[in-house]
Amino acid sequence: MMSTWQILQSHLPQALLETLYMVVISAVVGVVLGGLVGVLLYLTENRLLCPNRVVNAIVGFIVNAIRSLPFLILLVVLIPVVQFFLTDPYTPSGGAIALSVAAVPYFARLSESSFSEVDPGIVEASVSTGATVPQILWGAVYPQARPSLVRGIVIMVITLIGSSAMVGTIGAGGIGDMAIQYGYNRYETGVLAVIVVILIVIVQVIQWFGNRRAKALTH
Protein backbone atom coordinates (compact mmCIF):
# COMPACT_ATOMS: atom_id res chain seq x y z
CA MET A 1 0.00 0.00 0.00
CA MET A 2 1.25 3.46 -0.90
CA SER A 3 1.39 6.00 1.89
CA THR A 4 -0.36 9.36 1.68
CA TRP A 5 2.94 11.08 0.95
CA GLN A 6 3.79 8.62 -1.82
CA ILE A 7 0.38 9.09 -3.43
CA LEU A 8 0.77 12.87 -3.36
CA GLN A 9 4.28 12.69 -4.79
CA SER A 10 3.24 10.32 -7.57
CA HIS A 11 -0.09 11.77 -8.63
CA LEU A 12 -0.60 15.32 -7.35
CA PRO A 13 1.62 17.15 -9.91
CA GLN A 14 -0.12 15.45 -12.84
CA ALA A 15 -3.56 16.05 -11.32
CA LEU A 16 -2.81 19.76 -10.86
CA LEU A 17 -1.57 20.04 -14.45
CA GLU A 18 -4.74 18.38 -15.76
CA THR A 19 -6.90 20.70 -13.70
CA LEU A 20 -4.92 23.72 -14.89
CA TYR A 21 -5.31 22.53 -18.48
CA MET A 22 -9.08 22.20 -18.18
CA VAL A 23 -9.57 25.50 -16.34
CA VAL A 24 -7.32 27.59 -18.61
CA ILE A 25 -8.88 26.32 -21.84
CA SER A 26 -12.44 26.70 -20.61
CA ALA A 27 -11.71 30.13 -19.10
CA VAL A 28 -10.24 31.43 -22.37
CA VAL A 29 -13.16 30.05 -24.38
CA GLY A 30 -15.60 31.44 -21.83
CA VAL A 31 -14.10 34.92 -21.87
CA VAL A 32 -13.80 35.14 -25.66
CA LEU A 33 -17.08 33.56 -26.77
CA GLY A 34 -19.03 34.46 -23.65
CA GLY A 35 -17.81 38.04 -23.91
CA LEU A 36 -19.00 38.24 -27.51
CA VAL A 37 -22.41 36.84 -26.56
CA GLY A 38 -22.55 39.31 -23.66
CA VAL A 39 -21.83 42.18 -26.05
CA LEU A 40 -24.59 40.95 -28.37
CA LEU A 41 -27.07 40.79 -25.48
CA TYR A 42 -26.08 44.27 -24.33
CA LEU A 43 -26.29 45.83 -27.79
CA THR A 44 -29.65 44.29 -28.65
CA GLU A 45 -31.06 45.33 -25.26
CA ASN A 46 -29.80 48.93 -25.27
CA ARG A 47 -32.27 51.28 -26.96
CA LEU A 48 -29.47 53.67 -27.99
CA LEU A 49 -27.30 51.14 -29.80
CA CYS A 50 -28.72 48.17 -31.71
CA PRO A 51 -32.07 47.30 -30.13
CA ASN A 52 -33.50 44.04 -31.42
CA ARG A 53 -36.02 42.24 -29.22
CA VAL A 54 -36.15 39.10 -31.35
CA VAL A 55 -32.39 38.49 -31.37
CA ASN A 56 -32.12 39.38 -27.69
CA ALA A 57 -34.94 37.01 -26.76
CA ILE A 58 -33.56 34.09 -28.80
CA VAL A 59 -29.97 34.47 -27.58
CA GLY A 60 -31.14 35.08 -24.03
CA PHE A 61 -33.29 31.95 -24.12
CA ILE A 62 -30.38 29.78 -25.30
CA VAL A 63 -28.07 31.24 -22.65
CA ASN A 64 -30.63 30.71 -19.90
CA ALA A 65 -31.43 27.18 -21.09
CA ILE A 66 -27.81 26.07 -20.86
CA ARG A 67 -27.28 27.84 -17.54
CA SER A 68 -30.39 26.21 -16.07
CA LEU A 69 -28.92 22.72 -16.41
CA PRO A 70 -26.98 21.43 -13.39
CA PHE A 71 -23.37 20.95 -14.41
CA LEU A 72 -23.31 17.17 -14.05
CA ILE A 73 -26.46 16.84 -16.18
CA LEU A 74 -24.90 19.11 -18.81
CA LEU A 75 -21.80 16.95 -18.72
CA VAL A 76 -23.83 13.78 -19.32
CA VAL A 77 -25.71 15.44 -22.19
CA LEU A 78 -22.41 16.48 -23.79
CA ILE A 79 -20.75 13.06 -23.57
CA PRO A 80 -21.95 11.91 -27.05
CA VAL A 81 -20.78 15.21 -28.59
CA VAL A 82 -17.39 15.02 -26.93
CA GLN A 83 -17.09 11.37 -27.90
CA PHE A 84 -17.73 12.28 -31.54
CA PHE A 85 -14.71 14.62 -31.56
CA LEU A 86 -12.34 12.88 -29.15
CA THR A 87 -13.42 9.21 -29.14
CA ASP A 88 -12.85 9.07 -25.37
CA PRO A 89 -14.80 11.77 -23.49
CA TYR A 90 -13.34 10.77 -20.13
CA THR A 91 -10.12 12.72 -20.54
CA PRO A 92 -8.94 16.22 -19.53
CA SER A 93 -9.68 17.37 -23.08
CA GLY A 94 -13.22 16.06 -22.79
CA GLY A 95 -13.54 17.82 -19.47
CA ALA A 96 -12.25 21.04 -21.00
CA ILE A 97 -14.91 20.90 -23.72
CA ALA A 98 -17.68 20.36 -21.19
CA LEU A 99 -16.39 23.17 -18.99
CA SER A 100 -16.13 25.48 -22.00
CA VAL A 101 -19.76 24.88 -22.94
CA ALA A 102 -20.77 25.75 -19.38
CA ALA A 103 -18.44 28.77 -19.21
CA VAL A 104 -19.74 30.57 -22.33
CA PRO A 105 -23.31 31.30 -21.16
CA TYR A 106 -22.10 31.86 -17.60
CA PHE A 107 -19.68 34.59 -18.61
CA ALA A 108 -22.13 35.94 -21.20
CA ARG A 109 -24.48 36.97 -18.39
CA LEU A 110 -21.64 38.29 -16.24
CA SER A 111 -20.27 40.44 -19.05
CA GLU A 112 -23.73 41.65 -20.06
CA SER A 113 -24.28 42.74 -16.46
CA SER A 114 -20.92 44.54 -16.44
CA PHE A 115 -21.75 46.46 -19.61
CA SER A 116 -25.23 47.32 -18.34
CA GLU A 117 -23.75 48.87 -15.20
CA VAL A 118 -22.03 51.57 -17.27
CA ASP A 119 -23.60 54.99 -16.79
CA PRO A 120 -26.19 55.47 -19.59
CA GLY A 121 -25.19 59.12 -19.73
CA ILE A 122 -21.79 58.13 -21.10
CA VAL A 123 -23.45 56.16 -23.88
CA GLU A 124 -25.85 59.01 -24.65
CA ALA A 125 -22.99 61.48 -24.83
CA SER A 126 -21.06 59.19 -27.18
CA VAL A 127 -24.09 58.74 -29.43
CA SER A 128 -24.66 62.50 -29.56
CA THR A 129 -21.11 63.02 -30.86
CA GLY A 130 -21.83 60.71 -33.79
CA ALA A 131 -19.58 57.87 -32.62
CA THR A 132 -20.11 54.48 -34.22
CA VAL A 133 -21.17 51.43 -32.21
CA PRO A 134 -17.62 49.93 -32.18
CA GLN A 135 -16.23 53.30 -31.07
CA ILE A 136 -18.78 53.51 -28.27
CA LEU A 137 -18.04 49.97 -27.14
CA TRP A 138 -14.26 50.24 -27.10
CA GLY A 139 -13.94 53.91 -26.27
CA ALA A 140 -16.70 54.41 -23.70
CA VAL A 141 -18.38 51.22 -22.48
CA TYR A 142 -15.45 48.80 -22.21
CA PRO A 143 -13.11 51.11 -20.21
CA GLN A 144 -15.86 51.76 -17.69
CA ALA A 145 -16.82 48.08 -17.47
CA ARG A 146 -13.29 46.70 -17.04
CA PRO A 147 -13.24 46.48 -13.22
CA SER A 148 -16.55 44.64 -13.21
CA LEU A 149 -15.38 42.38 -16.05
CA VAL A 150 -12.26 41.45 -14.10
CA ARG A 151 -14.38 40.54 -11.09
CA GLY A 152 -16.61 38.49 -13.37
CA ILE A 153 -13.61 36.62 -14.77
CA VAL A 154 -12.44 35.85 -11.24
CA ILE A 155 -15.89 34.51 -10.31
CA MET A 156 -15.96 32.38 -13.45
CA VAL A 157 -12.46 30.95 -12.93
CA ILE A 158 -13.24 30.03 -9.32
CA THR A 159 -16.47 28.37 -10.46
CA LEU A 160 -14.57 26.46 -13.15
CA ILE A 161 -12.08 25.18 -10.59
CA GLY A 162 -14.93 23.71 -8.57
CA SER A 163 -16.59 22.35 -11.71
CA SER A 164 -13.31 20.77 -12.87
CA ALA A 165 -13.26 18.82 -9.62
CA MET A 166 -16.76 17.52 -10.46
CA VAL A 167 -15.57 16.56 -13.94
CA GLY A 168 -12.86 14.53 -12.28
CA THR A 169 -15.39 12.51 -10.32
CA ILE A 170 -16.48 10.76 -13.54
CA GLY A 171 -12.92 10.01 -14.57
CA ALA A 172 -11.91 13.03 -16.67
CA GLY A 173 -8.73 13.57 -14.68
CA GLY A 174 -7.55 16.40 -12.47
CA ILE A 175 -7.72 16.80 -8.72
CA GLY A 176 -11.33 15.62 -8.58
CA ASP A 177 -10.36 12.30 -10.12
CA MET A 178 -7.44 11.99 -7.70
CA ALA A 179 -9.66 12.80 -4.73
CA ILE A 180 -12.12 10.05 -5.70
CA GLN A 181 -9.59 7.39 -6.67
CA TYR A 182 -7.15 7.80 -3.82
CA GLY A 183 -8.90 9.86 -1.18
CA TYR A 184 -12.38 8.35 -1.20
CA ASN A 185 -12.05 4.85 -2.68
CA ARG A 186 -8.89 4.04 -0.71
CA TYR A 187 -9.95 5.89 2.44
CA GLU A 188 -6.87 8.12 2.36
CA THR A 189 -8.26 11.07 4.28
CA GLY A 190 -4.84 12.72 4.17
CA VAL A 191 -5.07 12.96 0.39
CA LEU A 192 -8.53 14.54 0.61
CA ALA A 193 -7.33 17.00 3.24
CA VAL A 194 -4.36 18.10 1.14
CA ILE A 195 -6.53 18.54 -1.95
CA VAL A 196 -9.05 20.62 -0.01
CA VAL A 197 -6.28 22.84 1.38
CA ILE A 198 -4.77 23.28 -2.09
CA LEU A 199 -8.15 24.28 -3.53
CA ILE A 200 -8.71 26.81 -0.75
CA VAL A 201 -5.26 28.34 -1.29
CA ILE A 202 -5.71 28.53 -5.07
CA VAL A 203 -9.11 30.20 -4.76
CA GLN A 204 -7.81 32.69 -2.19
CA VAL A 205 -4.85 33.64 -4.39
CA ILE A 206 -7.03 34.09 -7.48
CA GLN A 207 -9.55 36.18 -5.53
CA TRP A 208 -6.79 38.34 -4.03
CA PHE A 209 -5.16 38.94 -7.40
CA GLY A 210 -8.49 39.66 -9.08
CA ASN A 211 -9.51 42.16 -6.38
CA ARG A 212 -6.21 43.99 -6.70
CA ARG A 213 -6.45 44.11 -10.48
CA ALA A 214 -10.07 45.33 -10.41
CA LYS A 215 -9.15 48.00 -7.85
CA ALA A 216 -6.27 49.17 -10.04
CA LEU A 217 -8.65 49.54 -13.00
CA THR A 218 -11.26 51.46 -11.03
CA HIS A 219 -11.21 55.15 -11.84
Side-chain angles (χ1 to χ4, degrees):
M1 289 288 291
M2 297 176 67
S3 67
T4 297
W5 177 245
Q6 289 174 322
I7 293 172
L8 292 173
Q9 279 186 312
S10 301
H11 301 282
L12 184 59
Q14 182 63 30
L16 289 174
L17 285 176
E18 290 173 350
T19 295
L20 179 66
Y21 170 78
M22 290 188 285
V23 172
V24 168
I25 288 181
S26 57
V28 171
V29 172
V31 169
V32 174
L33 298 184
L36 291 174
V37 175
V39 168
L40 178 62
L41 289 170
Y42 171 70
L43 290 177
T44 53
E45 176 69 22
N46 194 301
R47 61 180 179 81
L48 296 172
L49 299 175
C50 305
N52 190 315
R53 287 187 176 183
V54 175
V55 172
N56 187 271
I58 293 173
V59 176
F61 175 81
I62 295 172
V63 167
N64 292 337
I66 298 175
R67 289 183 65 216
S68 67
L69 294 175
F71 182 74
L72 287 179
I73 294 179
L74 177 63
L75 184 61
V76 171
V77 171
L78 289 172
I79 285 177
V81 178
V82 176
Q83 192 169 15
F84 176 78
F85 290 102
L86 299 179
T87 304
D88 184 6
Y90 304 105
T91 62
S93 295
I97 292 176
L99 288 172
S100 298
V101 173
V104 170
Y106 187 76
F107 189 71
R109 284 303 185 191
L110 289 174
S111 58
E112 180 199 12
S113 177
S114 297
F115 296 135
S116 298
E117 291 173 2
V118 174
D119 185 356
I122 295 176
V123 178
E124 292 178 2
S126 300
V127 172
S128 66
T129 63
T132 62
V133 171
Q135 289 173 333
I136 294 172
L137 279 176
W138 292 110
V141 176
Y142 174 70
Q144 296 295 320
R146 278 189 301 177
S148 181
L149 286 171
V150 169
R151 294 187 181 95
I153 291 173
V154 170
I155 292 172
M156 181 187 69
V157 170
I158 291 174
T159 301
L160 288 173
I161 291 173
S163 298
S164 70
M166 285 192 286
V167 168
T169 62
I170 65 166
I175 52 179
D177 188 26
M178 181 179 173
I180 292 296
Q181 285 195 42
Y182 297 96
Y184 180 76
N185 291 339
R186 299 189 184 184
Y187 304 103
E188 289 286 348
T189 55
V191 173
L192 284 174
V194 170
I195 289 175
V196 169
V197 170
I198 289 174
L199 285 173
I200 292 173
V201 171
I202 291 174
V203 168
Q204 293 295 330
V205 170
I206 292 173
Q207 188 68 64
W208 173 82
F209 178 79
N211 289 342
R212 290 201 59 174
R213 185 58 184 160
K215 186 176 180 180
L217 293 172
T218 302
H219 300 294

